[in-house]
């Protein structure tokens, strides 16, 4: 299968490039495929004529999105519509990545795909628009995920380790609950979903749940790192964007559709930790 990746330099795209061995992967840089440019999208689709588009490009800096909502809406929403338009014209499958931030976090049980979305932030609003735009492609798969990280790049895992290495005191919120999801685990699930013909909206996160503080505790434990880590409340840690207090996503639909490859979040973290420590290629 010929698969066109947007956002090819990002951490999720890099995980896809490492793990999708049975496919022809095309990852043009932003000069060749600019999501903010409709003509660029049309030209890339005409040039590459892929069987599937894996849209991994996004404006993901949640707090910056509050000040730059127009840009977030363009990249995370409008551009998805342009991709869907091109995919529809060529009979191409569009795979869109979405987020747990489409929910307001007021729930008390894991969110199902059919639960109403009510985002609290500009980022969440732009990604929800992206979901709507993706549905314009007759053949589409929308994968909602959460708390993505990898052994490299800028993410919570690497940030915690960098802070600990500098000996900084670390305060992490302990009243936001979700499911940390490694890029490697998500990449494998996306491949199984695409080759298995899944369509529609599917939640794809690692199993289980924790808080950001609980995630940090487990990172340091598995990495064997001493850190000055203490919990705090969201109210003590002011950010531009509001985050959902509870954004665990239910995986029941994924298990009904076929191959559920998402491991417990602690197991996925162990794999990432081993790569970071150089124990695995």
């Amino acid at each position: 299968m010929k698969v066109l990746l947007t956002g090819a330099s990002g951490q999720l795209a890099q995980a896809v490039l490492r793990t999708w061995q049975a496919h022809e992967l095309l990852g043009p840089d932003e000069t060749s495929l600019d999501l903010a440019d409709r003509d660029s999208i049309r030209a890339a689709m005409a040039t590459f004529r892929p069987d599937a588009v894996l849209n991994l490009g996004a404006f993901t800096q949640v707090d910056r999105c509050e000040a730059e909502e127009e840009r977030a809406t363009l990249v995370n929403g409008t551009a998805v519509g342009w991709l869907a338009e091109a995919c529809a014209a060529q009979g191409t499958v569009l795979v869109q990545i979405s987020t747990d931030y489409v929910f307001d976090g007021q729930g008390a049980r894991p969110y199902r795909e059919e639960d109403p979305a009510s985002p609290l932030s500009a980022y969440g609003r732009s990604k929800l628009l992206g979901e709507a735009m993706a549905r314009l492609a007759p053949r589409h798969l929308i994968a909602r995920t959460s708390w993505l990280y990898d052994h490299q790049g800028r993410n919570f895992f690497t940030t915690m380790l960098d802070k600990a290495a500098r000996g900084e005191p670390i305060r992490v919120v302990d009243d936001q609950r979700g499911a940390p999801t490694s890029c490697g685990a998500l990449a494998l699930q996306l491949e199984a979903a695409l080759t298995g013909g899944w369509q529609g909206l599917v939640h794809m996160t690692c199993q289980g749940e924790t808080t950001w503080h609980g995630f940090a505790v487990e990172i340091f434990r598995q990495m064997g790192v001493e850190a000055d880590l203490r919990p705090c409340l969201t109210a003590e840690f002011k950010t531009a964007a509001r985050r959902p207090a509870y954004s665990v996503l239910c995986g029941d639909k994924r298990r009904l559709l076929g191959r559920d490859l998402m491991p417990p979040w602690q197991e996925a973290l162990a794999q990432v930790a081993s790569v970071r420590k150089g124990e695995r290629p």
Side-chain angles (χ1 to χ4, degrees), residues 109-189:
R109 54 144 177 87
Y111 285 99
R112 304 185 182 100
E113 286 83 353
E114 64 270 19
D115 287 331
S118 181
L120 299 174
S121 64
Y123 173 69
R125 290 189 291 272
S126 69
K127 294 297 285 184
L128 186 59
L129 175 61
E131 291 186 9
M133 293 296 99
R135 293 187 180 95
L136 299 177
R139 302 172 64 201
H140 66 267
L141 172 65
I142 302 166
R144 281 189 189 142
T145 192
S146 67
W147 298 21
L148 277 182
Y149 68 96
D150 205 356
H151 68 282
Q152 59 187 0
R154 295 180 62 185
N155 56 70
F156 186 81
F157 176 84
T158 56
T159 297
M160 290 298 100
L161 294 178
D162 290 345
K163 286 180 174 292
R166 293 193 295 267
E168 296 180 12
I170 305 171
R171 306 294 176 264
V172 180
V173 294
D174 201 29
D175 57 353
Q176 294 175 25
R177 299 192 69 82
T181 301
S182 73
C183 289
L186 179 57
L188 291 173
Q189 184 66 74

Side-chain angles (χ1 to χ4, degrees), residues 35 41 55 57 73-87 94-97 126-127 129-137 142:
L35 287 178
I41 290 173
N55 185 27
T73 299
L74 172 62
V75 175
N76 297 341
T78 305
V80 182
W82 296 337
L83 283 170
E85 174 186 64
C87 286
L94 174 60
V95 181
Q96 170 68 14
I97 307 302
S126 69
K127 294 297 285 184
L129 175 61
E131 291 186 9
M133 293 296 99
R135 293 187 180 95
L136 299 177
I142 302 166

Side-chain angles (χ1 to χ4, degrees), residues 111-267:
Y111 285 99
R112 304 185 182 100
E113 286 83 353
E114 64 270 19
D115 287 331
S118 181
L120 299 174
S121 64
Y123 173 69
R125 290 189 291 272
S126 69
K127 294 297 285 184
L128 186 59
L129 175 61
E131 291 186 9
M133 293 296 99
R135 293 187 180 95
L136 299 177
R139 302 172 64 201
H140 66 267
L141 172 65
I142 302 166
R144 281 189 189 142
T145 192
S146 67
W147 298 21
L148 277 182
Y149 68 96
D150 205 356
H151 68 282
Q152 59 187 0
R154 295 180 62 185
N155 56 70
F156 186 81
F157 176 84
T158 56
T159 297
M160 290 298 100
L161 294 178
D162 290 345
K163 286 180 174 292
R166 293 193 295 267
E168 296 180 12
I170 305 171
R171 306 294 176 264
V172 180
V173 294
D174 201 29
D175 57 353
Q176 294 175 25
R177 299 192 69 82
T181 301
S182 73
C183 289
L186 179 57
L188 291 173
Q189 184 66 74
L190 286 169
E191 182 183 22
L194 181 60
T195 57
W198 296 12
Q199 294 197 45
L201 172 63
V202 184
H203 288 169
M204 298 187 191
T205 62
C206 284
Q207 299 176 40
E209 62 182 78
T210 188
T211 66
W212 286 108
H213 178 262
F215 186 22
V217 168
E218 188 65 8
I219 288 170
F220 294 133
R221 188 191 73 80
Q222 291 202 20
M223 291 297 296
V225 171
E226 294 289 335
D228 179 7
L229 173 66
R230 297 180 188 176
C232 69
L233 299 176
T234 298
E236 303 172 59
F237 193 77
K238 300 298 183 182
T239 59
R242 294 174 63 197
R243 271 77 167 169
Y246 182 88
S247 61
V248 181
L249 304 182
C250 179
D252 289 350
K253 182 177 179 179
R254 185 177 71 243
R255 288 184 276 275
L256 289 172
L257 286 170
R259 298 174 61 203
D260 180 8
L261 302 180
M262 301 305 291
W265 70 267
Q266 298 93 332
E267 289 184 15

Side-chain angles (χ1 to χ4, degrees), residues 4 40-50 53 83 86-87 90 92:
L4 177 63
S40 176
I41 290 173
R42 286 176 168 174
M45 289 292 291
T47 298
F48 296 113
R49 301 200 67 83
V53 172
L83 283 170
C87 286
Q90 297 185 15
T92 300

